[in-house]
Amino acid sequence: MMMQRTTLLLPMAVEATNVAQQQRGMATLKHISMRLKSVKNIQKITQSMKMVSAAKYSRAERDLKAARPYGIGAQQFFDKTEVQADGAVEPKKLLIAVTSDRGLCGAVHTGVARLIRGELQKDDSNTMVFCVGDKSRAILSRLYGKNILMVANEVGRLPPTFLDASKIAHEVLSTGYDYTEGKIVYNQFKSVVSYKCSTLPIYSGPTVEKSEKLAVYDSLDSDVIKSYLEFSLASLIFYTMKEGACSEQSSRMTAMDNASKNAGEMIEKLTLTFNRTRQAVITRELIEIISGAAALT
Amino acid sequence: MSFVRNARLLAMRGARLGQNRSYSDDMKLTFAAANKTFFDAAVVRQIDVPSFSGSFGILAKHVPTLAVLKPGVVQVTDNDGKVTKYFVSSGSVTVNEDSSVQVLAEEAHNIEDIDVSEARQLLSKYQSELSSAGNDKAKAEAAIAVEVAEALVKAAE
């Protein structure tokens, strides 16, 4: 910007260049005002996005509060029976990435994808990824496209429902990929300003049946265990989707707040430059008039 | 000095043991559905649940078990003997070693909130869907819907 100013203030000897210079000067002024306008519009957009996500966040948090006991209840059985993944020679792993379709929400999706990428870097030969939400697919498909088992999209526009979760669980179970151990990778909501990328283990029927503590449980047959595990997978996915949605909205709120703040700073600077440039143009025109009048006398 | 500390430690341990014992005497119920949480680790006297292997009641110190809920009424008796009934569509029941019980339902509602005429309408709607279902999958889906609606009408009456 400083450069432009000095060129504007250069004395113009030749008339032809003078005209060109003047046009350019006017253009810069116009350019600045155009940029100023566009930044102002962006600020308006980010501000309203913040408002929208704040409203969505308060709903997501309310939902999450109701879903927490549900999710914790669903984990209890696995905690208490101390199910362990059997150290099979060739474990077939399944990772479920809980993200959404929508971006502009900080590092929510990147965090999940990064954790999965770390897992895949260790061993990508028998690990598959089930992507919930387009964002995790977009990040992972470049390097590990062949490890993606399936993608569920249209996630994140509306709050997740149990129906969504049971559809995903159904697809996970009917893909024909018999995983021996698995993990759900999701963002655990902590507070408005913080979330933690964490994992929840999931188990397949045979692994659970091998558990030693299962013997204390009465009247079990594999049918009951199978239905039970199917339902608990759906519950866990439902719970993690709720956690993810809440973290996403809170993170979007913060991201949009920061964006509005940055836009405000930019507007301030641009307004200053705009006014300076305008003043420079006026000064130059005055000089031209005065020197023209001086030449006549 | 050390004697005092030891005594205090012992007392603390005794208190903790006592706590543990009373803990396993109560039954802690977590009854949650995707739409609402009804009980979160609350102490109750008895729970009756409908399951695919038959309906059963759960008291404290029930043998650990797993079961799959079928559409029907879950009945919770709290410590004052007050009985509350809830309709559940499907879900799972877990009874753990430490007498904690998790009833997780796909959807659950207090029975008083159910409108009988609405439930009847649903039932007739799904019955007609069942008779008009083309393939096996649609038929099975409609049959499940009819089962749930039947249980809903029965619960509401």
Side-chain angles (χ1 to χ4, degrees):
Chain A
M1 273 313 167
M2 283 303 285
M3 277 301 290
Q4 279 173 348
R5 235 179 100 206
T6 44
T7 45
L8 281 175
L9 290 177
L10 270 179
M12 290 92 192
V14 191
E15 215 171 321
T17 49
N18 195 356
V19 174
Q21 279 284 342
Q22 199 173 6
Q23 269 173 350
R24 205 188 291 160
M26 292 304 280
T28 5
L29 203 57
K30 187 134 196 233
H31 277 150
I32 293 170
S33 82
M34 267 157 64
R35 262 191 83 186
L36 196 57
K37 216 181 245 171
S38 96
V39 174
K40 271 183 184 160
N41 283 339
I42 288 170
Q43 194 194 29
K44 267 182 211 155
I45 292 168
T46 55
Q47 250 163 2
S48 52
M49 267 180 92
K50 190 203 152 196
M51 294 298 176
V52 170
S53 58
K56 280 190 177 170
Y57 159 74
S58 66
R59 191 183 159 186
E61 202 204 2
R62 216 171 45 229
D63 283 357
L64 180 64
K65 259 192 194 141
R68 270 228 166 109
Y70 191 77
I72 290 162
Q75 292 166 47
Q76 288 288 313
F77 170 68
F78 301 108
D79 286 351
K80 294 212 163 114
T81 49
E82 292 162 10
V83 182
Q84 294 280 322
D86 53 344
V89 195
E90 259 192 18
K92 281 172 113 181
K93 286 188 202 157
L94 176 74
L95 298 170
I96 302 177
V98 181
T99 58
S100 84
D101 286 359
R102 308 231 152 170
L104 294 180
C105 49
V108 168
H109 304 319
T110 345
V112 169
R114 194 183 298 139
L115 206 150
I116 289 176
R117 209 160 48 201
E119 291 272 326
L120 286 170
Q121 260 163 11
K122 273 187 258 164
D123 170 29
D124 65 348
S125 55
N126 41 24
T127 307
M128 292 302 250
V129 183
F130 188 106
C131 295
V132 180
D134 262 341
K135 281 288 161 192
S136 53
R137 193 213 51 183
I139 302 169
L140 289 169
S141 62
R142 226 177 315 155
L143 276 172
Y144 297 104
K146 62 178 173 22
N147 291 76
I148 291 175
L149 192 64
M150 198 178 255
V151 182
N153 51 15
E154 272 295 310
V155 183
R157 199 167 58 83
L158 297 167
T161 61
F162 195 83
L163 194 66
D164 299 335
S166 54
K167 268 183 198 158
I168 291 165
H170 181 252
E171 290 302 328
V172 168
L173 295 164
S174 60
T175 46
Y177 179 72
D178 295 317
Y179 58 94
T180 56
E181 52 189 282
K183 268 184 207 159
I184 304 178
V185 185
Y186 70 106
N187 285 302
Q188 191 176 29
F189 175 76
K190 284 198 162 152
S191 70
V192 190
V193 285
S194 85
Y195 54 87
K196 198 175 136 225
C197 190
S198 23
T199 59
L200 261 188
I202 49 174
Y203 304 99
S204 60
T207 319
V208 172
E209 276 172 38
K210 272 179 214 154
S211 165
E212 282 168 19
K213 275 217 171 174
L214 203 70
V216 297
Y217 284 78
D218 190 35
S219 70
L220 290 183
D221 47 45
S222 54
D223 242 19
V224 168
I225 294 182
K226 193 169 162 255
S227 320
Y228 183 85
L229 286 176
E230 277 172 13
F231 186 79
S232 78
L233 179 64
S235 322
L236 287 176
I237 292 176
F238 171 72
Y239 165 64
T240 49
M241 279 172 91
K242 283 278 179 219
E243 288 269 2
C246 196
S247 321
E248 185 189 321
Q249 293 304 345
S250 73
S251 172
R252 177 169 296 128
M253 216 162 77
T254 333
M256 287 302 123
D257 193 33
N258 285 340
S260 311
K261 238 182 252 162
N262 289 345
E265 255 170 50
M266 224 163 135
I267 288 169
E268 223 168 77
K269 275 184 192 157
L270 277 174
T271 323
L272 196 65
T273 325
F274 177 79
N275 287 343
R276 268 194 194 146
T277 317
R278 197 195 50 199
Q279 196 54 50
V281 171
I282 293 168
T283 317
R284 199 194 57 209
E285 275 170 7
L286 274 178
I287 291 170
E288 276 162 16
I289 292 164
I290 294 165
S291 52
L296 283 176
T297 52
Chain B
M1 191 61 194
S2 72
F3 165 75
V4 173
R5 206 172 57 207
N6 278 345
R8 211 180 58 204
L9 275 176
L10 274 175
M12 265 168 71
R13 210 160 89 205
R16 214 179 299 144
L17 277 175
Q19 247 174 18
N20 267 345
R21 202 168 301 133
S22 70
Y23 171 68
S24 63
D25 277 347
D26 305 327
M27 180 166 55
K28 284 201 170 173
L29 169 70
T30 302
F31 178 20
N35 55 333
K36 202 179 168 187
T37 301
F38 296 96
F39 295 91
D40 184 11
V43 176
V44 295
R45 194 185 288 166
Q46 188 187 345
I47 313 149
D48 298 320
V49 291
S51 90
F52 278 106
S53 40
S55 299
F56 61 99
I58 306 166
L59 290 164
K61 289 186 179 170
H62 189 281
V63 62
T65 189
L66 300 178
V68 183
L69 282 179
K70 79 173 184 190
V73 177
V74 170
Q75 196 172 309
V76 181
T77 315
D78 64 13
N79 273 347
D80 309 326
K82 206 174 126 248
V83 178
T84 336
K85 289 179 176 179
Y86 302 94
F87 174 78
V88 292
S89 59
S90 67
S92 66
V93 186
T94 321
V95 184
N96 290 308
E97 250 184 313
D98 57 1
S99 269
S100 65
V101 180
Q102 280 95 38
V103 181
L104 303 177
E106 190 180 336
E107 214 169 323
H109 290 283
N110 204 322
I111 266 187
E112 286 143 29
D113 300 341
I114 300 171
D115 185 357
V116 189
S117 55
E118 284 269 347
R120 286 221 179 86
Q121 269 176 24
L122 268 183
L123 178 60
S124 55
K125 186 186 146 207
Y126 287 122
Q127 270 166 344
S128 64
E129 242 172 62
L130 178 61
S131 53
S132 65
N135 52 7
D136 282 351
K137 198 184 164 210
K139 208 169 258 178
E141 272 172 11
I144 294 168
V146 167
E147 197 189 333
V148 176
E150 267 171 359
L152 190 62
V153 171
K154 219 174 117 190
E157 271 167 356

